[in-house]
């Protein structure tokens, strides 16, 4: 019996190995982003329905063979694109499959007999969709290998013929665009036009935030737009960011007049509870979305500083959004809030739609991430009103940031580092993650070697005024409690770091709001959201 247990060919041992293999696959898959999960489930369902259609009586109909995989990819290449979102769960259409294969058999006969070119569908799948099918077929094949259903390597299943199908799909788009006279102002040149109208985009978003119904949502959208531009970030990277992910430092070079506040984002890995590292005259704000585009497991970083023009300042935009949000939601304001219990606040998301608290209402559950299309729909409406042509609405800020730096003649290597494109070993392991030149340029400091001179950041704000804001009413008391607990071995470093960041952001709010009132007074006229903040009408705050 002992010999049988040790023999890996014994049926029991084989079955157990299949279980272990399956567990390994499921663990790897369970934390993938939701969008990837939707696509994976759709393609798995399509493959299953396809296999049952072409091999309904087979002993193992789902088995991958080179012929079945080729015919499946052939159909994807020559079928028409489905209407609606490609991420929706759809059934494989057996009739359409039979129709496509029959039609292209006729096309081949017409080509060989009469020289009539074999046509492509007017609206076929694009390159990215075809690559998705290959990627998820590879995952399905890996599951079959893990379950001992096949021993063939993927290269013998997804053969050179399949690769040529994908290559054909890649090449046909350019030809079809020319034949169909498709607009030439596309995702490559569109963002250059958007750079010229960036101030109009920001102004439109601010104007929409003036209505009482949309104040919180549009202040949030404005922050996303400005930060994704300044940090060359994907908006999806922010959707799952949590308030507990913030760190902060201030940097002052010898030639700078004022200290430079930086905001940094680590993506996608989580932040460990370590004491804040104190650097000479330095403050960095950092948060760590747990999900998003993974970049093959690497950490990527978003970075920004306070802009010379208060209208385009991503950090100021965050201060406006969070101040208004906390005024509406009343989060964390209880003097008995359990900061000692990380589970009570670690999962609270950065980006939400602020709602007045209603008991037992799911609308005020701010631990749930935004839907990925929420921001894209909003920015699409703004761009449509302004007549700006772009194709990737959610990535507009990332595209704008890169184009602005190109126009300012910043070296491509620096742009690459700020945008986290293909980081090198040096970037990943030894870099400070702070490419200061592009950070300065995107903040408007393009002369005098990028010297940081920003007078509004040096305005001293009285403590009494800080304590009168929606954040200040509770943050100082909470911070004192947490610091006291930490001095007694509490190790609540994340809580202390977050609260210290909010005190700094609270000062930014008062400085930038005062600057906005002086330099752009019409912006606060009839702003139904900020009219509710009594501090802005107080004698202590009055701007003269």
């Amino acid at each position: 019996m002992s010999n049988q247990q040790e023999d890996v060919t014994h049926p029991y041992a084989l079955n157990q190995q299949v279980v272990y293999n399956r567990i390994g696959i499921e663990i790897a898959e369970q934390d993938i982003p939701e969008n990837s999960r939707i696509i994976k489930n759709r393609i798995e369902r399509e493959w299953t329905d396809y296999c049952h259609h072409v091999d309904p009586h087979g002993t193992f109909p789902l088995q991958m063979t080179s012929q079945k995989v080729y015919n499946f990819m052939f159909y994807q290449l020559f079928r028409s694109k489905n209407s609606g979102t490609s991420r929706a769960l759809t059934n494989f259409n057996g009739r359409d499959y039979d129709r496509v294969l029959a039609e292209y058999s006729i096309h081949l006969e017409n080509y060989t007999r009469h020289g009539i070119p074999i046509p492509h569908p007017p609206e076929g799948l694009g390159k990215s969709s075809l690559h998705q099918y290959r990627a998820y077929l590879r995952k399905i094949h890996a599951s079959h290998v893990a379950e001992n259903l096949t021993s063939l390597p993927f290269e013998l299943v997804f053969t050179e013929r399949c690769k040529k199908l994908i290559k054909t799909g890649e090449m046909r788009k350019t030809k079809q665009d020319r034949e169909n006279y498709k607009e030439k102002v596309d995702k490559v040149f569109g963002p250059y036009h958007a750079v010229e109208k960036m101030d109009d985009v920001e102004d439109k978003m601010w104007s929409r935030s003036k209505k009482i119904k949309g104040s919180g949502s549009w202040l949030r959208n404005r922050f996303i737009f400005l930060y994704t531009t300044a940090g060359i970030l994907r908006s999806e990277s922010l959707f799952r960011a949590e308030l507990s992910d913030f760190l902060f430092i201030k940097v002052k070079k010898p030639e700078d007049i004022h200290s430079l506040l930086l905001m940094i984002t680590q993506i996608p890995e989580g932040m460990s509870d370590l004491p804040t590292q104190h650097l000479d005259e330095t403050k960095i704000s950092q948060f760590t979305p747990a999900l998003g585009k993974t970049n093959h497991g690497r950490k990527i970083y978003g970075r920004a500083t306070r802009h010379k023009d208060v209208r385009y300042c991503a950090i100021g935009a965050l201060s406006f959004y969070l101040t208004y949000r906390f005024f509406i939601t009343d989060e964390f304001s209880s003097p008995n809030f359990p900061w000692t219990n990380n589970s009570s606040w670690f999962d609270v998301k950065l980006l939400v739609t602020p709602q007045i608290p209603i008991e037992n209402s799911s609308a005020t559950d701010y631990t749930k991430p935004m839907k990925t299309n929420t921001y894209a729909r909003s920015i699409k409406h703004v761009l449509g009103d302004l007549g700006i042509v772009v194709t990737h609405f959610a990535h507009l800020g990332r595209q704008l940031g890169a184009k602005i730096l190109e126009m300012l003649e910043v070296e491509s290597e620096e742009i690459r580092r700020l945008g986290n494109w293909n980081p090198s070993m040096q970037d990943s392991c030894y870099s400070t993650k702070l490419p200061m030149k592009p950070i300065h340029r995107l903040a408007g400091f393009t002369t005098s070697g990028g010297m940081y001179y920003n007078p509004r950041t040096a305005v001293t704000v009285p403590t009494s005024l800080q304590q009168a804001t929606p954040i200040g009413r509770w943050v100082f008391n909470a911070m004192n409690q947490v610091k006291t607990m930490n001095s007694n071995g509490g190790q609540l470093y994340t809580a202390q770091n977050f609260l210290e960041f909010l005190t700094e952001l609270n000062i930014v709010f008062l400085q930038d709001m005062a600057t906005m009132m002086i330099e752009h007074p019409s912006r606060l006229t009839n702003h139904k959201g900020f009219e509710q903040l009594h501090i802005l009408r107080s004698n202590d705050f009055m701007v003269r």
Side-chain angles (χ1 to χ4, degrees), residues 392-404:
H392 291 174
F393 302 104
H395 291 332
L396 176 64
R398 181 169 172 82
Q399 293 175 331
L400 284 182
K403 303 307 181 194
I404 291 171

Side-chain angles (χ1 to χ4, degrees), residues 399-463:
Q399 293 175 331
L400 284 182
K403 303 307 181 194
I404 291 171
L405 290 176
E406 286 180 10
M407 292 179 177
L408 294 174
E409 299 182 349
V410 172
E411 294 86 350
S412 59
E413 176 67 13
E414 292 293 328
I415 299 174
R416 182 191 63 75
R417 289 182 62 204
L418 186 60
N420 299 279
W421 281 290
N422 300 321
S424 64
M425 180 63 71
Q426 189 271 338
D427 289 338
S428 301
C429 301
Y430 304 107
S431 171
T432 62
K433 312 298 188 295
L434 299 177
M436 298 304 297
K437 185 175 180 179
I439 291 173
H440 277 73
R441 295 295 188 270
L442 284 174
F445 299 95
T446 59
T447 61
S448 302
M451 180 185 69
Y452 191 77
Y453 174 72
N454 204 344
R456 76 177 188 276
T457 68
V459 174
T460 301
V461 180
T463 303

Side-chain angles (χ1 to χ4, degrees), residues 41-53:
N41 291 340
R42 174 178 61 79
I43 293 177
E44 284 184 347
R45 182 169 177 174
E46 278 192 73
W47 173 257
T48 299
D49 292 348
Y50 161 75
C51 288
H52 285 299
H53 177 74

Side-chain angles (χ1 to χ4, degrees), residues 257-276:
I257 305 300
H258 303 117
S259 295
L260 180 144
L261 181 69
L262 291 167
M263 188 154 65
I264 302 180
T265 314
Q266 285 189 107
I267 308 169
E269 298 181 9
M271 177 184 63
S272 60
D273 282 355
L274 296 174
T276 302

Side-chain angles (χ1 to χ4, degrees), residues 26-34 37 290-291 294:
E26 292 300 328
I27 289 177
E29 296 290 328
Q30 67 185 5
D31 291 328
I32 65 174
E34 185 61 25
R37 187 185 307 280
L291 293 174
T294 59

